[in-house]
Amino acid sequence: MNIPFVSFTPMEKELHSDIENAFKRVFERSWYIGGAENEAFEEAFSEYCNTGYCVGVGNGLDALMLSLKAFNIGEGDEVIVPSNTFIATALAVTYTGATPVFVEPDINTYNINPNLIEEKITDKTKAIIPVHLYGEAADMKPILKIAGKYNLKVIEDCAQAHGATYGGERVGSFGDVGAFSFYPGKNLGALGDGGAIVTDDKALADKIRALGNYGSDYKYHHIYKGNNSRLDELHAAFLNAKLPHLDRMNEERGKIAKAYYEGIKNSKIILPGIHASITNAEGSVSKPVWHIYAVRTRSGAEREALEKYLSNKGIGTNKHYPIPIHLQECYKDLGFKKGDFPIAEEISATELSLPMYYGLKDEEVKYVIDAINKF
Ligand SMILES: *Cc1c(COP(=O)(O)O)cnc(C)c1O
């Protein structure tokens, strides 16, 4: 059997005519930037996230960066980010001129450990960017408490967690602003780059929209030195076609995760932890959307062996992420060395992501489980 790490084919087959119609709608209107599709998507997506406003932007990195800029964060400021995340979280901070300050994750959930945030706060700290990594919400309650205590902005990095809930509420609705990516491989993906921010603050939404549109509040009138970062009409149209299917497709990912949890029985494999049930008043618990199903091995050598073993059986895997941010060449200037963030380093060395995508068949999931159990 040949099982890729990710495939868009089952989803694209199913939504073929919806996607084609989306293209036709835009092409027949001959209107490509900032139009009816963006308006419809922004309304639908803000409603989906249970926030007042949504603004389409060019990609997820810009969604984070424009949010930071909207809070006037820049040179001399510090922003708390997880040491274990995709590099874009840190790059967004760097691009504003501010400095990313790394906080170690919880080894079980892979998400930022709220107990380690306070010791990193200085009088330069302006914001926290919790990341809902691999599709599981970060532990927002203590994070919001710390942010309140020190008067910090909270920018949720929701790039891997469209639709994930924390105590029954959707991610993106907790912080001052939620930043999303619609990179094709995300749970909700365009057919190219795309992104959005969601917020309850109208003035903030207006400012982010202006910042992504040459700093313009109305045509040829510029209040900020902005840049160009907008969601194309075509991508907004594709997202309008896909959004109605997001919950159902996330549910299917959940079934695959459940099968992995129940089926994988091998003392060499450490399964991903989920938060102890965080509930709201109605008893709704947190629900991950399984962007990635991240297992760990007991050592780096064992991870390499597992990867090779699965590859020989036709099973595609991936590593998220093989080099932690503090050891990346581009961040040499921050002066970190191996051993500075041991938990992020441990995850980098031992994490392996199993096949996870909409349309992965039961027999394929079973094949992956059987292979892992024989490792
Ligand atoms: C994908 C991703 C981003 C960046 O999104 P792009 O649309 O690729 O710019 C930011 N943060 C995280 C955690 C991501 O996974």
Side-chain angles (χ1 to χ4, degrees):
M1 221 182 269
N2 208 4
I3 304 169
F5 168 67
V6 68
S7 167
F8 302 148
T9 309
M11 173 182 35
E12 288 177 350
K13 266 195 185 144
E14 200 179 299
L15 302 183
H16 195 101
S17 63
D18 291 357
I19 299 277
E20 258 181 5
N21 288 335
F23 172 80
K24 274 191 204 139
R25 281 200 309 271
V26 174
F27 193 57
E28 277 161 18
R29 275 190 219 114
S30 291
W31 190 275
Y32 302 109
I33 303 283
E37 299 293 339
N38 262 276
E39 266 170 48
F41 178 71
E42 288 176 355
E43 188 175 332
F45 198 62
S46 57
E47 192 173 309
Y48 180 84
C49 295
N50 196 22
T51 55
Y53 306 92
C54 170
V55 178
V57 297
N59 54 65
L61 173 59
D62 283 354
L64 291 165
M65 188 184 60
L66 296 172
S67 297
L68 290 160
K69 287 210 167 200
F71 293 129
N72 297 315
I73 291 169
E75 226 175 299
D77 296 331
E78 293 176 355
V79 177
I80 305 268
V81 300
S83 55
N84 181 49
T85 176
F86 179 56
I87 196 163
T89 316
L91 286 176
V93 177
T94 303
Y95 275 131
T96 67
T99 304
V101 173
F102 300 110
V103 170
E104 286 272 72
D106 176 316
I107 188 78
N108 296 310
T109 67
Y110 307 114
N111 268 324
I112 191 165
N113 183 342
N115 298 326
L116 304 176
I117 293 176
E118 235 171 325
E119 64 198 55
K120 293 291 181 87
I121 293 173
T122 71
D123 53 8
K124 293 178 181 165
T125 311
K126 293 284 152 44
I128 307 177
I129 309 183
V131 180
H132 308 301
L133 201 68
Y134 308 151
E136 178 174 12
D139 195 359
M140 290 309 294
K141 204 169 159 187
I143 293 170
L144 292 170
K145 201 169 158 197
I146 294 165
K149 183 172 165 191
Y150 294 94
N151 197 22
L152 307 176
K153 300 295 181 190
V154 175
I155 299 162
E156 298 176 66
D157 184 339
C158 307
Q160 301 191 0
H162 317 67
T165 59
Y166 174 86
E169 303 290 329
R170 287 243 162 87
V171 300
S173 64
F174 294 94
D176 296 281
V177 55
F180 286 86
S181 162
F182 304 122
Y183 176 80
K186 311 289 187 182
N187 289 41
L188 178 61
L191 305 188
D193 280 313
I197 64 94
V198 295
T199 181
D200 281 328
D201 181 341
K202 182 174 190 304
L204 184 71
D206 289 345
K207 186 169 182 185
I208 291 172
R209 189 185 299 286
L211 284 170
N213 190 30
Y214 311 107
S216 172
D217 54 352
Y218 61 89
K219 203 166 173 105
Y220 301 134
H221 182 260
H222 303 271
I223 44 179
Y224 313 110
K225 296 185 191 81
N227 58 3
N228 174 2
S229 183
R230 301 174 295 212
L231 181 62
D232 291 335
E233 275 288 276
L234 262 176
H235 291 301
F238 297 140
L239 291 166
N240 280 325
K242 288 170 98 177
L243 180 60
H245 303 277
L246 176 60
D247 281 343
R248 179 172 59 84
M249 293 185 171
N250 279 341
E251 288 292 327
E252 292 298 315
R253 287 173 178 268
K255 286 182 194 161
I256 297 164
K258 188 164 183 278
Y260 282 152
Y261 272 119
E262 288 172 358
I264 297 174
K265 291 187 173 68
N266 183 332
S267 59
K268 291 181 187 152
I269 308 296
I270 304 159
L271 302 180
I274 321 186
H275 288 304
S277 56
I278 293 156
T279 52
N280 67 1
E282 289 81 47
S284 299
V285 297
S286 305
K287 215 168 159 193
V289 291
W290 304 108
H291 176 58
I292 280 165
Y293 192 85
V295 303
R296 275 187 304 125
T297 52
R298 298 172 303 185
S299 73
E302 220 160 60
R303 192 262 306 266
E304 304 310 316
L306 177 64
E307 179 193 30
K308 207 165 158 208
Y309 165 86
L310 291 176
S311 166
N312 286 337
K313 293 201 170 296
I315 298 168
T317 59
N318 221 326
K319 296 167 188 167
H320 295 94
Y321 296 90
I323 305 171
I325 299 171
H326 67 283
L327 299 178
Q328 290 285 357
E329 194 170 332
C330 65
Y331 276 122
K332 262 201 303 226
D333 58 328
L334 294 179
F336 292 117
K337 58 184 186 317
K338 208 164 187 279
D340 285 342
F341 295 95
I343 302 175
E345 289 169 26
E346 171 76 13
I347 294 169
S348 275
T350 60
E351 188 273 350
L352 198 71
S353 307
L354 304 183
M356 174 57 78
Y357 54 89
Y358 175 78
L360 193 60
K361 296 192 191 81
D362 290 348
E363 63 263 31
E364 293 171 325
V365 176
K366 189 175 177 310
Y367 178 80
V368 175
I369 293 169
D370 288 344
I372 291 177
N373 286 345
K374 287 187 194 123
F375 173 65

